[in-house]
Amino acid sequence: MTDAKTKAVGGGVAAVALAGVLALAAPLIQKLEGVRYEPYRDSVGVLTVCYGHTKTVQAGKRYTRAECDALLAQDMAEANGYVRRCMGVPMLRHVEAALTSAAFNLGPKVVCGSTLQRKAQANDWPGACAELDRWNKAGGRELRGLTLRRGDERAMCEGPQ
């Protein structure tokens, strides 16, 4: 096989793997975020719309479902990019999906430069998944919704028992 064909096949496999991860992450994120078509302030005052989208939000605009779905896809791909870059080790699909959900909500800090990252890179996946429980605060205070969210993400991360 030529180099170009090898790269094309490898890229296709990577795209399919990514699609599988995002297919697992999307329902979890949608459930945990809920959807709101009109911008609102979240628990720490950040202007938010759709499924927790916080960038490029236009105050006063009513978003369509199609716009929200497109923003969700962009935000999930960005979050997954952090997971893949910062973990740097192979992960089971359900682990990657759980970490993508966490990075979607928290940003890259949960997987880049964290104890969770160090444990994952040491192949301590139970420890890495357990670290999710620690990320349940916003504005310096513990929020029940974040505690429940991290529990759902941890359950996905740990996989079927």
Side-chain angles (χ1 to χ4, degrees):
M1 198 179 294
T2 67
D3 284 344
K5 286 183 183 177
T6 301
K7 286 181 184 177
V9 169
V13 170
V16 169
L18 175 60
V21 167
L22 297 183
L24 283 175
L28 180 62
I29 291 169
Q30 289 170 320
K31 171 190 154 200
L32 296 170
E33 292 288 345
V35 64
R36 291 179 61 181
Y37 298 105
E38 294 180 10
Y40 64 96
R41 298 275 172 193
D42 71 5
S43 61
V44 292
V46 176
L47 192 60
T48 306
V49 73
C50 299
Y51 300 101
H53 179 76
T54 58
K55 298 175 184 161
T56 68
V57 179
Q58 295 177 30
K61 175 183 175 177
R62 179 162 175 79
Y63 288 74
T64 66
R65 180 174 178 159
E67 288 172 314
C68 288
D69 289 347
L71 290 171
L72 175 62
Q74 290 171 359
D75 291 346
M76 285 192 313
E78 180 182 348
N80 184 262
Y82 296 131
V83 171
R84 288 179 175 220
R85 272 190 305 282
C86 293
M87 289 294 112
V89 294
M91 294 167 275
L92 295 172
R93 197 176 286 187
H94 63 274
V95 171
E96 188 174 346
L99 297 181
T100 296
S101 176
F104 176 97
N105 181 244
L106 297 161
K109 63 187 177 247
V110 69
V111 291
C112 301
S114 64
T115 302
L116 186 154
Q117 178 194 32
R118 287 189 295 282
K119 288 184 177 189
Q121 290 176 338
N123 204 31
D124 176 7
W125 290 106
C129 293
E131 282 295 310
L132 288 168
D133 291 343
R134 297 181 59 218
W135 295 85
N136 65 345
K137 295 175 184 66
R141 61 189 169 101
E142 185 175 326
L143 297 180
R144 184 177 191 284
L146 290 179
T147 299
L148 295 172
R149 181 187 189 118
R150 298 290 98 82
D152 285 353
E153 290 166 346
R154 181 177 178 176
M156 177 179 273
C157 188
E158 292 173 340
Q161 300 298 327

